[in-house]
Amino acid sequence: MLRIFLQRCLSAIPVLFLVVLFTFILIRLAPGGPFDDERAVPPQVLENLNKRYHLDDPIHVQFFDYVKHLLQGDFGPSFKYPSRTVTEVIYAGIPVTLELSLYAFLVALVFGITSGVIASLKPNTLQDYVPMSAAMIGICLPSFVLGPLLILVFGIQLDWLPVSGWGVTPGDKILPSITLGAGYAAYLARLSRGGMLETLSQDYIRTARAKGLSGWRVVFHHALRGALAPVVSFAGPAVAGLLSGSFVVETIYQIPGLGRFYLQAAFNRDYTMILGMTILFAFLIIICNLLADLLLLWLNPKLRGRK
């Protein structure tokens, strides 16, 4: 396990470097600049701004200078918020984004695994068709459609839940969490159902039933652990998707997380903010996939020799 962990950490270094390189090149190739706005900036002022932020240097000089500061933990100043650094903005937004992603992941786990297990107990019956049909709807309905629908029904028509903000009341976290987690709950439901159907057909499950064990004991004590292997494999990409998918949800519900800062940085061509948040999300995605792989190896030791 330790060897696999170290190998993955070492392989993450060139991946992060390529993320930095391609992001740096792409944002420089995009038309416009961080100081282009509706008002005309005098040439002398624009020249001074470019000199202040070293944007008049050759692009390779800018890149290596950025990497040098990055290795020291400095993401640079924000062009949109001159009085704040990118690190300060990240520290302000990351707790909200992580909290939202955690709630959405819990929603996905609870509803997804529960629906999949229930559907697998009686395949090709109404008990199977209903949750799997709901799962298919969840897969086909993106968050930018589901969010406004939930706001319309539960926020405006029924007036049960708030439709914007974060942390004012516990209720304002319900709709964003459901919006973000619903699609992944649908995928987990189908994966759980498939894993359970495959596990329930194994010989050791028949042996457990032949010994007279109750149905729920067979499911939870014997079958569920083996059936969760595809769920665990999907957990890493799911968490990564929840983190990156929070952009849309945070915008819909006016949540002050990293997603809103990221979108504002893209619209304002805030080079350092885009770079800093891209690196952060790439790092979080690598960590999520690594933890999912280690958990899968712990659940199934047979896989350790293949890594």
Side-chain angles (χ1 to χ4, degrees), residues 206-222:
R206 298 192 188 97
T207 302
R209 287 173 172 168
K211 291 180 178 179
L213 298 179
S214 63
W216 289 110
R217 183 173 175 81
V218 171
V219 170
F220 288 103
H221 186 71
H222 294 279

Side-chain angles (χ1 to χ4, degrees), residues 152-175:
L152 179 64
V153 175
F154 296 100
I156 298 177
Q157 294 183 350
L158 299 177
D159 195 22
W160 286 357
L161 297 169
V163 298
S164 65
W166 186 263
V168 180
T169 62
D172 59 15
K173 301 178 181 180
I174 296 177
L175 291 183

Side-chain angles (χ1 to χ4, degrees), residues 163-166 248-257 260:
V163 298
S164 65
W166 186 263
V248 176
V249 176
E250 289 176 7
T251 302
I252 293 174
Y253 292 97
Q254 299 297 303
I255 298 174
R260 290 189 64 192

